[in-house]
Amino acid sequence: MVARYIFRRILVGTVQILSLVIAVFFLIRLLPADPVSRFVGLNSSAEAYAQAERNLGLDRPLLTQLGHYLGVLPSEGPGLLQGSLGTSWVTGTPVLTEIGQALPITIELLTFAFAVALLISVPVGMLAALRPGGAADRGVFAYSLFAGSQPEFWWGLLFVYVFFFVLGWAPAPLGVLSPLTSPPPPVTGFITLDSLIAGRPDTLFEVLHHYMLPVATMVFILSGPIIKMVRQNMVRALGSDFVLYARCAGLPKGQVARYALRAAMAPSVTLIGILYGFMLGGAVLIESVFSLGGLGQYAIRSVLAFDYPAIQGVILVITAISLLVYLALDLIHAVIDPRVAYG
Amino acid sequence: MKADVAATQRTVLSVHNLRVRYDTPSGAVTPLRDFSLSIGEREVVGLIGDAGSGKSTAALAMMGLVRPPGRLISGQVLFGGQDLMEMDEDQLRALRGKDIGIIVQNPRSALNPMLRIGRQIGNVYRAHSDASAAAARDRAIEMLRLVGINDPERRVAAYAHELSGGMAQRALIAMALSSEPRLLIADEPTSGLDVTIQAQFLDQMWDSVQQTGSAILLISQDLGIIANYCDRVAVLHDGRIVEDRPARDFFAAPEHPYSRDILGLQRAAASGVARTSEPVAPGEPLVEVTALAKAFPIHGSDKVVQALQSVDLSVGPGETLGLVGESGSGKTTVGRCLLRLEEPTSGDITYRGAPISGIPKEALRAFRRKIQIVFQDPYDSLNPRWTIRRVLQEPLDLHTRLGKAEKTARIRDLLEMVGLDQALIDDKPRGLGASAMQRLNIARAIAVDPEFIVLDEPTSVLAPQAVTGLIALLRKLQKELGLSYLFISHDLTTVRFLCHRVAVMYLGQIVEVGRVGQVFEDPQHPYARALLSAHLFPDPTRRRVDQDVPESLSGEIPSPVDLPRGCYLAGRCPFAVDRCRSEAQPLVALEDGRQVRCWRVIEGDLEGAA
Ligand code: SF4
């Protein structure tokens, strides 16, 4: 049952991704942009222009280009079907390799940030829900307003100023490792895991230290909406008949709270998933402020450079990960809430 | 009276001058102002009152609880000499669910949707004992068996949404009884249960009081339940108890004007205005149904749900035919087929001798004018954003060519006819109560002079006194306008007062049809007998618990997907023999004019059987 459901979701997801890739393929080529002149310069000769166009493959009919990208034209070399995302026009490196470097950083950043944000937000949201209008609730409200009042990069800069420049608690916002440290040999691509594998606790510590400030910034921004959501779901759960009945039946306080929490978490999980998927590309400002070199930064760089293969690759990867995250969270949701049917 | 009871029996719980207030943005509401009530050992006390009169608030308040944002302002709740209002949270917690158990309305929403019911029952049990998890599970199974759930070992693993309403209700009862409370507060404990099952459950509950010496506060709108099971009746009105007397005295001669209101229908019956068995204008049947069948295909399967099978019935001009049966008997589908809201799978329906299935689309409008329907939920069928004028004008616009002034005059007439204030004409129906809403629905149904109205459970959401008024209205309209009704209801008390003839349905078939007097006084078909004996008529002098109840049906209703080959009742009927299981039963007329679908009745086998 569950296996069949997962299989079907993955199948549907693949179709979705493929349609999106094809749509994006055409859409970026509809843009009034001229990537060729960007590479050869505006004043280049006609031959140089034609040569560059040929190099990029843009001289061929659109459908041939698409066939090449998808990998259904064997004569043209490997494409999507063969597991290749093409080569970046800017760097000449395979897009897959570049994404393979940027993606783990974003995932690490988001995972740490979400984990910490949840650890803080869930209890705080519960506390606020237990006494609507109480001190905790008012505090949370004020905090949400405050945190949401400024754009995230501004908070990032402020944090850098305070914790690096003034207090000196955080390292310089120059990536995930200090320039003098050599990175651990890449095994998983996740630098925290790799330093563990390489048996270098000092490197691990350094990485975590570098993640500290960007994660704190994200937690600061994410917590507001998450607390609000947990609070709302919790208020609803606490007002529900079955919680009232649990009290009628004389269940211990902690157990009543657990009943309510579980009911509140089920809908929250879905929203957290959506937020996570959104942040995959949306963490770009934080990544830029701290020069982390994550996926968001890579996406912006590719767009500004009209690097078509890279743009397509980023969109494909973000979509695929989002779909996987949604699937995982739907499965978690079903575990929490038995009413969810695999349909 | 109250003092007597308290003196002769030990008091279990007494409430004095309780006041509960809700502070809402639009002002404070005080559902309980000065509420006092006491319950003695081995006593079953009935608490009645309007919907929204604060009965459920009172039930919770007796455990020292209020649904947020309400607050207990003042008063005392004494249990075993201690005041609940002065206890701390821990003491209260220890008391709730252990000494005082509660069963609430809407059992399905009272159960935690995320936990298996066995766990939930076990959790409650463990909260009040030091049982291990395994012992709690055993206890849950034991309790589920006790409340009559088949196969409790399997059911402990079910979630609330996997249970039917009746099953969820029983699970809740199992939970409330698991710690053997001294007082059980039962707030509409049988809402949503079918009558045959309701009677079973109430009998059980009553027995357990007698055996264990506990006490019950039974909150219900159903006077039948109150009359049959309660020793004492308390009437809640305007936030306080306005009458508190032994049940017999109460039903014989209610004192408070409000109580008299509630008992209206019963008192009307006592003074002899019950239905005479003659329709206003007998004659050729107006509506005739022959061999009607309706099957619903099941999505994603080639099986079908047999909702109706070989239904024959006729309604004459000025006649009311009652259609009764438990949920799933197909009675609503009959009404919907008559209006062509549903297309029958086979069979004929004629209206004044002409088949309605042959009516072309264009003529359907003229036909719809003559035959109208009033639904169960008055709020569902009215657009709350429309004014009353617009609601009533719609059918006039559709079916008549009246001028504007004539329409207004007609609308005023209609309001007058159904007993609504004409001044309301430009109001929105939103603010009306359920009873006024239902009157508005009736006004809409009679707006274009129909001849025939299908009434689909029109009284089921109304409070007792509103039911009386509505039944009186329907009878008045029938007399004045010569209307025919098909009255679909599970409430046999109202059927008795409104209908000339009655048809009893079971699993999509009519099993007995005859005059109301015949069927109600002397039902023949085993299912009709069971249904009638399970029905609780509000008469405390003939209490069910004081009588030997005839053998009732056993087992569960078969699924309408896999119907038995022979008589549909064979699996549950106490009189079933082999022949019943193999032969499908036709509806056959008896000498006295009624028709019955049971060969043993027809051959006179069951004469004198209980
Ligand atoms: S036919 Fe048999 S099983 Fe059916 S109702 Fe009659 S006696 Fe009972």
Side-chain angles (χ1 to χ4, degrees):
Chain A
M1 187 72 186
V2 182
R4 247 186 71 189
Y5 172 75
I6 296 174
F7 178 75
R8 211 177 57 231
R9 279 281 295 263
I10 290 181
L11 209 72
V12 172
T14 312
V15 173
Q16 283 172 334
I17 293 175
L18 209 67
S19 338
L20 188 77
V21 164
I22 293 175
V24 167
F25 182 90
F26 286 113
L27 277 176
I28 45 180
R29 280 163 178 78
L30 281 179
L31 288 178
D34 187 356
V36 182
S37 50
R38 226 194 106 84
F39 286 111
V40 293
L42 281 177
N43 303 322
S44 61
S45 66
E47 295 94 77
Y49 187 93
Q51 177 61 39
E53 194 173 33
R54 218 169 307 123
N55 285 348
L56 298 181
L58 287 174
D59 56 334
R60 291 167 304 169
L62 265 185
L63 284 180
T64 317
Q65 292 182 38
L66 180 66
H68 175 206
Y69 185 71
L70 295 178
V72 289
L73 300 175
S75 57
E76 300 274 344
L80 208 52
L81 272 184
Q82 289 80 33
S84 159
L85 292 179
T87 318
S88 162
W89 291 349
V90 178
T91 58
T93 326
V95 171
L96 200 59
T97 315
E98 293 191 333
I99 291 183
Q101 283 158 359
L103 180 65
I105 293 175
T106 300
I107 289 191
E108 276 177 338
L109 172 69
L110 288 189
T111 308
F112 289 145
F114 270 85
V116 177
L118 284 176
L119 276 179
I120 297 174
S121 308
V122 172
V124 172
M126 277 178 72
L127 219 63
L130 284 176
R131 289 192 166 275
D137 197 23
R138 284 201 307 265
V140 164
F141 182 72
Y143 155 74
S144 304
L145 265 189
F146 182 64
S149 66
Q150 303 295 335
E152 55 204 67
F153 74 88
W154 197 88
W155 287 121
L157 290 174
L158 193 75
F159 278 30
V160 170
Y161 176 74
V162 174
F163 294 104
F164 164 64
F165 191 70
V166 178
L167 297 173
W169 293 352
L174 296 172
V176 291
L177 275 180
S178 98
L180 301 176
T181 316
S182 65
V187 181
T188 60
F190 294 94
I191 196 155
T192 40
L193 291 180
D194 286 345
S195 25
L196 269 181
I197 291 169
R200 286 166 48 180
D202 50 327
T203 316
L204 176 67
F205 181 78
E206 190 185 327
V207 173
L208 292 180
H209 193 204
H210 276 83
Y211 269 130
M212 181 177 81
L213 216 47
V215 165
T217 313
M218 281 198 77
V219 168
F220 186 73
I221 293 153
L222 282 174
S223 292
I226 297 182
I227 290 176
K228 234 173 138 176
M229 175 184 71
V230 170
R231 177 193 173 277
Q232 237 159 33
N233 289 333
M234 194 66 188
V235 165
R236 197 175 307 135
L238 283 172
S240 68
D241 281 1
F242 74 87
V243 167
L244 186 70
Y245 191 77
R247 296 184 63 204
C248 284
L251 290 185
K253 243 188 165 143
Q255 197 158 36
V256 176
R258 280 204 299 282
Y259 274 28
L261 181 63
R262 189 159 169 191
M265 280 326 285
S268 308
V269 159
T270 311
L271 281 166
I272 289 170
I274 291 172
L275 204 56
Y276 191 99
F278 174 74
M279 279 311 214
L280 274 177
V284 53
L285 291 175
I286 305 278
E287 286 173 5
S288 303
V289 168
F290 294 95
S291 322
L292 295 177
L295 194 64
Q297 266 179 295
Y298 182 70
I300 292 294
R301 193 220 72 191
S302 316
V303 170
L304 293 180
F306 300 128
D307 191 347
Y308 289 179
I311 297 175
Q312 284 161 196
V314 166
I315 290 176
L316 188 141
V317 166
I318 288 184
T319 317
I321 293 179
S322 300
L323 288 175
L324 282 178
V325 169
Y326 295 165
L327 174 59
L329 289 167
D330 281 350
L331 292 176
I332 293 177
H333 190 177
V335 170
I336 300 181
D337 189 343
R339 283 169 299 181
V340 177
Y342 297 110
Chain B
M1 279 305 163
K2 203 168 70 192
D4 284 354
V5 173
T8 52
Q9 291 169 311
R10 296 233 319 271
T11 304
V12 176
L13 179 106
S14 64
V15 182
H16 304 279
N17 314 103
L18 201 64
R19 190 179 178 88
V20 171
R21 194 175 69 202
Y22 284 86
D23 292 314
T24 65
S26 50
V29 188
T30 319
L32 299 181
R33 296 165 190 282
D34 186 13
F35 178 83
S36 303
L37 184 67
S38 76
I39 300 157
E41 239 168 38
R42 281 179 209 284
E43 205 182 12
V44 182
V45 178
L47 180 63
I48 59 180
D50 274 347
S53 64
K55 290 175 305 207
S56 299
T57 308
L60 285 177
M62 288 185 182
M63 312 187 93
L65 271 175
V66 193
R67 189 182 275 280
R71 280 187 303 144
L72 283 163
I73 302 292
S74 59
Q76 276 185 316
V77 182
L78 295 176
F79 183 87
Q82 279 183 297
D83 189 354
L84 265 62
M85 307 276 279
E86 273 156 20
M87 290 186 184
D88 62 29
E89 264 308 307
D90 281 343
Q91 284 172 302
L92 279 172
R93 188 197 73 69
L95 192 87
R96 292 178 191 145
K98 168 128 186 68
D99 297 312
I100 309 177
I102 188 167
I103 303 168
V104 294
Q105 299 188 47
N106 308 330
R108 245 191 286 197
S109 61
L111 290 172
N112 187 338
M114 320 253 174
L115 285 185
R116 300 177 193 280
I117 58 162
R119 265 288 290 286
Q120 290 186 59
I121 299 174
N123 280 351
V124 172
Y125 183 58
R126 292 180 75 187
H128 302 292
S129 65
D130 16 86
S132 66
R137 194 189 125 89
D138 291 343
R139 178 72 175 166
I141 293 174
E142 181 192 335
M143 290 311 298
L144 287 176
R145 182 171 298 123
L146 196 78
V147 295
I149 286 185
N150 299 333
D151 200 2
E153 285 84 0
R154 204 164 53 84
R155 297 284 190 199
V156 285
Y159 290 103
H161 69 279
E162 295 164 349
L163 301 177
S164 69
M167 203 88 83
Q169 186 67 274
R170 290 179 202 214
L172 207 61
I173 293 163
M175 203 181 295
L177 295 180
S178 65
S179 300
E180 295 171 357
R182 290 179 53 210
L183 170 67
L184 179 66
I185 299 172
D187 187 0
E188 298 281 1
T190 57
S191 59
L193 296 192
D194 276 325
V195 276
T196 48
I197 293 163
Q198 161 180 299
Q200 240 171 25
F201 160 64
L202 289 170
D203 290 350
Q204 252 173 26
M205 197 171 80
W206 198 84
D207 282 345
S208 79
V209 170
Q210 305 308 312
Q211 281 162 21
T212 60
S214 52
I216 294 182
L217 178 73
L218 185 56
I219 300 173
S220 181
Q221 280 212 25
D222 185 333
L223 294 168
I225 294 180
I226 301 284
N228 277 276
Y229 293 95
C230 295
D231 305 310
R232 195 151 56 85
V233 180
V235 182
L236 177 59
H237 181 58
D238 216 10
R240 56 172 70 83
I241 297 293
V242 296
E243 185 156 358
D244 181 354
R245 297 200 298 148
R248 276 184 190 237
D249 299 357
F250 174 77
F251 280 92
E255 272 167 4
H256 195 273
Y258 176 74
S259 316
R260 275 185 229 143
D261 237 25
I262 292 186
L263 287 179
L265 192 57
Q266 280 62 52
R267 295 172 62 73
S271 56
V273 286
R275 188 97 240 182
T276 51
S277 277
E278 287 319 304
V280 181
E284 282 295 293
L286 193 65
V287 174
E288 219 172 353
V289 172
T290 17
L292 184 69
K294 173 76 192 170
F296 295 98
I298 299 176
H299 193 71
S301 140
D302 45 1
K303 296 200 165 185
V304 293
V305 176
Q306 279 296 350
L308 293 179
Q309 265 197 339
S310 53
V311 170
D312 298 323
L313 52 84
S314 69
V315 185
E319 188 186 42
T320 306
L321 175 68
L323 208 51
V324 302
E326 295 177 283
S327 53
S329 61
K331 52 190 195 304
T332 295
T333 313
V334 172
R336 297 181 63 89
C337 285
L338 280 182
L339 273 117
R340 282 191 66 181
L341 295 174
E342 208 85 76
E343 288 298 329
T345 310
S346 64
D348 294 316
I349 303 173
T350 60
Y351 183 77
R352 289 195 177 280
I356 68 159
S357 51
I359 299 177
K361 277 253 151 52
E362 316 82 65
L364 206 54
R365 214 165 88 181
F367 163 73
R368 287 246 161 92
R369 177 179 176 167
K370 289 290 163 206
I371 162 165
Q372 295 283 330
I373 187 164
V374 174
F375 290 104
Q376 173 171 10
D377 186 344
Y379 295 94
D380 242 22
S381 36
L382 287 175
N383 185 337
R385 280 189 296 272
W386 287 14
T387 60
I388 289 177
R389 179 196 294 276
R390 186 151 173 221
V391 168
L392 293 180
Q393 192 168 320
E394 193 194 26
L396 297 177
D397 289 343
L398 215 60
H399 294 291
T400 69
R401 299 227 164 97
L402 297 177
K404 197 161 188 303
E406 289 166 313
K407 279 182 187 160
T408 305
R410 176 71 180 150
I411 291 170
R412 287 184 182 282
D413 275 355
L414 286 169
L415 290 176
E416 160 111 60
M417 280 162 85
V418 298
L420 287 175
D421 189 352
Q422 297 190 355
L424 294 174
I425 185 164
D426 286 311
D427 287 1
K428 305 233 162 104
R430 198 180 300 151
L432 299 178
S435 152
M437 288 284 261
Q438 203 55 296
R439 281 167 189 263
L440 183 58
N441 273 308
I442 292 171
R444 183 171 61 174
I446 60 172
V448 289
D449 296 318
E451 294 175 321
F452 183 84
I453 302 181
V454 174
L455 302 161
D456 188 356
E457 304 255 15
T459 59
S460 67
V461 297
L462 306 185
Q465 64 273 43
V467 172
T468 316
L470 203 79
I471 296 296
L473 172 68
L474 289 170
R475 288 178 58 167
K476 183 191 92 166
L477 292 174
Q478 181 164 53
K479 210 158 126 213
E480 288 172 2
L481 308 174
L483 294 167
S484 303
Y485 296 138
L486 178 70
F487 184 68
I488 300 168
S489 179
H490 67 269
D491 178 8
L492 299 182
T493 310
T494 53
V495 169
R496 182 181 217 163
F497 292 112
L498 186 65
C499 299
H500 301 102
R501 287 190 306 128
V502 60
V504 180
M505 292 194 71
Y506 180 70
L507 274 174
Q509 292 183 328
I510 291 177
V511 293
E512 177 159 350
V513 51
R515 282 184 283 113
V516 164
Q518 291 174 328
V519 178
F520 276 62
E521 299 311 325
D522 182 24
Q524 289 298 316
H525 191 281
Y527 178 72
R529 295 179 190 203
L531 191 69
L532 264 298
S533 86
H535 183 71
L536 303 169
F537 288 98
D539 178 358
T541 59
R542 282 169 35 194
R543 302 208 308 180
R544 184 181 159 87
V545 289
D546 301 332
Q547 294 169 354
D548 273 342
V549 187
E551 208 172 337
S552 60
L553 304 177
S554 55
E556 287 177 17
I557 303 176
S559 141
V561 180
D562 293 305
L563 284 167
R565 196 153 55 94
C567 173
Y568 290 175
L569 195 64
R572 307 175 69 201
C573 178
F575 310 111
V577 292
D578 279 349
R579 183 171 159 194
C580 303
R581 287 180 195 95
S582 55
E583 272 178 33
Q585 297 296 312
L587 196 61
V588 176
L590 296 185
E591 276 160 20
D592 59 2
R594 73 172 109 185
Q595 293 166 294
V596 177
R597 195 184 287 276
C598 167
W599 68 273
R600 295 200 68 184
V601 169
I602 292 155
E603 299 197 348
D605 275 5
L606 303 185
E607 213 91 38

